[in-house]
Amino acid sequence: MEKALINLHYEIIHGDFMKAGEASSNIKKALMQLGVDNAIIKRLCVACYEAEMNIVIHSYGGCIDVDIFEDRIEMNAKDKGPGIKDIELAMTEGYSTAPDVAREMGFGAGMGLPNIRKSSDEFEITSVVGEYTNVRIVIFID
């Protein structure tokens, strides 16, 4: 099994809008220190921020793990929560189940999952209703 150069782990708390974005910000700093191309950093940070916000808004909490390899970056965002009943519908731009509190703060426009997919070279989403949702992406560095 190939070993990552760096493993990053962030716990994400449901409803904690004050800390939302910290994981993507910290990951950006780490990638900049490694000299990763800015275009790659931007793509990963968009995907990470969207995943982070989805966990804050829609789940009971979860985590984001990022593994940095020489040739790629893998991100896995897993939450505990209600799951997604219809993944195809959830992937539709503009579709949202965000509560009013999130919408009042400017979130919940229904672009999270589509933006994650657009930012990725590889994208996979799995969900079990009543248990979890897991989003896995890969972005190739070279």
Side-chain angles (χ1 to χ4, degrees):
M1 176 106 184
E2 183 182 12
K3 184 169 170 44
L5 302 172
I6 297 175
N7 306 97
L8 304 169
H9 174 83
Y10 299 93
E11 291 293 322
I12 311 299
I13 300 168
H14 164 75
D16 191 349
F17 289 94
M18 294 299 290
K19 289 189 178 179
E22 283 186 7
S24 53
S25 179
N26 290 336
I27 292 164
K28 178 181 180 179
K29 290 174 191 170
L31 294 174
M32 288 175 72
Q33 289 176 345
L34 290 171
V36 174
D37 181 80
N38 284 336
I40 300 294
I41 293 172
K42 181 178 179 180
R43 289 174 57 205
L44 184 68
C45 287
V46 166
C48 184
Y49 181 78
E50 295 286 11
E52 196 172 351
M53 292 311 301
N54 280 349
I55 293 171
V56 168
I57 293 169
H58 299 286
S59 78
Y60 309 137
C63 64
I64 294 178
D65 290 297
V66 175
D67 296 319
I68 303 168
F69 297 88
E70 285 189 30
D71 63 340
R72 70 192 183 284
I73 303 165
E74 297 180 7
M75 181 187 81
N76 201 49
K78 185 170 185 177
D79 70 33
K80 298 175 239 78
I84 300 172
K85 292 177 186 168
D86 186 336
I87 291 175
E88 186 176 332
L89 181 59
M91 293 300 303
T92 304
E93 290 186 13
Y95 176 79
S96 178
T97 59
D100 288 342
V101 66
R103 290 175 188 267
E104 289 165 5
M105 294 175 20
F107 302 108
M111 294 303 296
L113 291 173
N115 282 340
I116 295 170
R117 180 175 51 196
K118 286 177 189 174
S119 298
S120 328
D121 291 319
E122 293 179 7
F123 173 88
E124 178 184 351
I125 182 169
T126 55
S127 188
V128 175
V129 174
E131 293 185 29
Y132 71 89
T133 298
N134 190 74
V135 176
R136 181 186 171 278
I137 71 158
V138 176
I139 297 176
F140 294 105
I141 295 174
D142 51 354

